[in-house]
Amino acid sequence: MSDRQFNPLGTVNAPADWTLPPRLQILLKQVRASFDGTAAGGSFQPLLRIITDSGHIEGEYPCGTTIAAGASADCTWFPGVAPVAAAATTTTNPWAYISGTGSTSCPGSGTITSLPATAGHFYTNSSATFTTGVSGGITGIVVSKQGHYLVSYTATPFGTPAAGSQYEIQNTLGGTIAGYFGGVPVAHLPTSPIADEGVVNEVSIMTVTAAQVPTAALITQIVNHGTGSVSMLNTGYIIQQLDTDATVLS
Amino acid sequence: MSQIVTANMPDTLNIGDGYVIELDAINPTTGASVSGVVVTNVNVAAAEQGGGTVDVGTPILIGVNV
């Protein structure tokens, strides 16, 4: 038999019921209705519900789109419509940053000098992952979750270093360099007096295991291999959690 | 301005006498009906199956003389 169009109900409050009249049997091809939510008691989803002649619910078909209270929608049901995809979940990796405010003299002859940072220059988007702490009297960042971390840290000479200054930068967790991918930071060794442009930077991937958390404060150090001292400023380091895997990289 | 939305339904909804097509507005979290929503412009497109109205003409009485 041919297709037919039915326009029952008029204007009614939801739930709106249309009971099929006697001797009518149909194969549904499409249902459309307007939902005026101007006076809705809350956000809603239009729903098509089929109830059998014995009063049992045969099927319920929500439209999958939530309509805000006060808004309206024209909803059409028909076979073959792909389900509404779930909204993409945006994930944000925890990160933290800290920097220093004053310079520190770093003597030569292989001396290791920790560069102070200040809690007033600490920023993070996850206090559950990063907090400030003190290690050896030096403020740094404490890591409270296991995982792999990308760490980038910098320091710059403050003024002109003495002749013979040779220095490298490193980060340390409680006095030991633990779990860096690719080994310890590469040395930067200027062999002549340099100006402020002699900033040193290192990037590494660090593994923090479950047994290490919460870690000792992560701090920046300068190793001066030269004969002269150099005054260095901690210009900040940023640490970002890459994942929660604690497999030690080597 | 109404939002235009589409939704899926099975292609096998063969329903008949006494069945109810209900259009409701539900809370997306609880599934409970939301009050204050007005339904209008309901349109149902369907293929009519057997059991529909049958037109019947005027009966003809045939008499046979025996």
Side-chain angles (χ1 to χ4, degrees), chain A residues 4 12 17 23 25 49 74, chain B residues 3 22 39 46 48-49 51:
Chain A
R4 287 186 63 182
V12 292
D17 291 356
R23 294 199 292 175
Q25 184 163 355
R49 181 179 290 123
D74 295 332
Chain B
Q3 192 173 340
E22 185 172 87
V39 178
E48 197 168 350
Q49 307 293 288

Side-chain angles (χ1 to χ4, degrees), chain A residues 163-180:
Chain A
S165 298
Q166 298 179 335
Y167 54 89
E168 65 178 327
I169 188 171
Q170 65 183 28
N171 264 22
T172 180
L173 280 169
T176 58
I177 300 172
Y180 282 102

Side-chain angles (χ1 to χ4, degrees), chain A residues 4 6 12 14 16-18 20 23 25-30 32 34 36 41 45 47 49 51 72 74 76 80, chain B residues 3 5 7-8 13 15 17 19-24 26 35 37-40 43-49 51:
Chain A
R4 287 186 63 182
F6 302 89
V12 292
D17 291 356
W18 178 45
L20 268 62
R23 294 199 292 175
Q25 184 163 355
I26 56 176
L27 176 65
L28 283 181
K29 291 193 167 182
Q30 179 177 297
R32 180 186 182 279
S34 299
D36 182 352
Q45 279 193 17
L47 173 81
R49 181 179 290 123
I51 303 172
S72 299
D74 295 332
T76 304
Chain B
Q3 192 173 340
V5 293
N8 189 44
L13 285 177
I15 60 178
D17 180 0
Y19 273 61
V20 175
I21 295 176
E22 185 172 87
L23 295 159
D24 201 357
I26 61 166
S35 63
V37 177
V38 176
V39 178
T40 59
N43 176 272
V44 177
E48 197 168 350
Q49 307 293 288

Side-chain angles (χ1 to χ4, degrees), chain A residues 19-184:
Chain A
T19 302
L20 268 62
R23 294 199 292 175
L24 180 62
Q25 184 163 355
I26 56 176
L27 176 65
L28 283 181
K29 291 193 167 182
Q30 179 177 297
V31 178
R32 180 186 182 279
S34 299
F35 291 78
D36 182 352
T38 304
S43 59
F44 65 92
Q45 279 193 17
L47 173 81
L48 170 64
R49 181 179 290 123
I50 304 297
I51 303 172
T52 69
D53 54 355
S54 61
H56 296 92
I57 295 174
E58 180 174 294
E60 293 178 306
Y61 312 101
C63 84
T65 300
T66 299
I67 311 302
S72 299
D74 295 332
C75 187
T76 304
W77 287 265
F78 55 92
V81 177
V84 176
T89 302
T90 302
T91 57
T92 302
N93 285 355
W95 59 264
Y97 170 88
I98 198 168
S99 66
T101 55
S103 62
T104 300
S105 178
C106 304
S109 303
T111 303
I112 298 174
T113 304
S114 297
L115 297 183
T118 174
H121 286 185
F122 171 74
Y123 306 93
T124 184
N125 69 342
S126 173
S127 58
T129 309
F130 302 112
T131 54
T132 58
V134 177
S135 179
I138 301 296
T139 298
I141 294 175
V142 172
V143 180
S144 298
K145 303 283 187 182
Q146 73 170 39
H148 292 133
Y149 291 83
L150 176 65
V151 191
S152 176
Y153 37 102
T154 60
T156 186
F158 191 79
T160 301
S165 298
Q166 298 179 335
Y167 54 89
E168 65 178 327
I169 188 171
Q170 65 183 28
N171 264 22
T172 180
L173 280 169
T176 58
I177 300 172
Y180 282 102
F181 177 71
V184 297

